[in-house]
Amino acid sequence: RDLQLQLTMGGHAQSHITRSGGRAGDALYITGAPGLSLAGYEVLAGRLTLPENLRLAALERHLRPRAAGPFDLKGIHAAMDLSDGIVQDSLRLARASGLKLTIDLDLIPLPEGLEAFLEKHRAVTSGEELELLFLGPADFNGFTACRIGSASQGSGVVFREGGREM
């Protein structure tokens, strides 16, 4: 049996950013590199064996997730935390902003050393990464983030790899 816990917090913010402010022509960015939380889960389930340093990092990310940041959100049009994986959360961001997101798997960063053990198409399903997924101008340079795609008119999310849609 799995134990599942949920926490909801409320409060007030002096300023905030929503998921709905994205614009056609925006670039899609992510902070950090996804995959460690899923790798930690796979290690605990006995389905993945990793070198000790990577195993400890994966277990730490999965068992004790910490939110990335804080970030200065100036210049960002729409954002959300990456809590359910890029696949699910990008669809939420696309719907809220009324846009089509195109994500290039070739641009997704993986944690150093993990690429030999976890494919990118699996890393994009890794939840509890607690990084920032956001839309902003193509020349955004407010803090360290990796451009992984783009926004255009339309709806939904398209993944590309090697120049082809998946």
Side-chain angles (χ1 to χ4, degrees):
R1 290 175 35 140
D2 289 335
L3 173 65
Q4 295 185 5
L5 303 173
Q6 181 174 341
L7 172 68
T8 302
M9 296 179 66
H12 298 280
Q14 293 177 336
S15 66
H16 66 282
I17 191 158
T18 66
R19 299 176 184 181
S20 61
R23 306 171 188 167
D26 277 350
L28 179 66
Y29 298 91
I30 184 176
T31 61
L36 270 181
S37 181
L38 176 61
Y41 176 79
E42 295 291 323
V43 165
L44 290 172
R47 294 187 292 257
L48 183 62
T49 302
L50 297 172
E52 186 64 11
N53 64 331
L54 197 51
R55 184 182 77 80
L56 291 174
L59 290 172
E60 179 72 18
R61 172 65 83 153
H62 183 71
L63 296 172
R64 294 178 195 86
R66 292 192 186 112
F71 300 106
D72 179 0
L73 302 178
K74 187 160 86 175
I76 293 175
H77 301 147
M80 65 180 295
D81 69 311
L82 190 59
S83 58
D84 291 326
I86 292 173
V87 171
Q88 288 187 48
D89 289 334
S90 63
L91 185 55
R92 291 179 180 122
L93 189 60
R95 284 181 181 152
S97 285
L99 296 169
K100 174 183 175 183
L101 299 181
T102 301
I103 298 173
D104 188 340
L105 287 178
D106 298 323
L107 299 177
I108 305 277
L110 289 180
E112 188 175 336
L114 192 60
E115 58 277 336
F117 302 95
L118 188 70
E119 301 87 7
K120 287 186 180 186
H121 72 272
R122 296 223 36 239
V124 294
T125 68
S126 184
E128 304 309 325
E129 294 291 342
L130 304 184
E131 294 290 345
L132 190 64
L133 182 68
F134 68 95
L135 290 164
D139 61 352
F140 177 81
N141 63 3
F143 50 84
T144 302
C146 181
R147 182 178 180 166
I148 62 168
S150 60
S152 60
Q153 296 289 331
S155 63
V157 177
V158 173
F159 284 86
R160 299 179 60 85
E161 185 174 36
R164 294 187 321 251
E165 284 189 17
M166 299 178 58

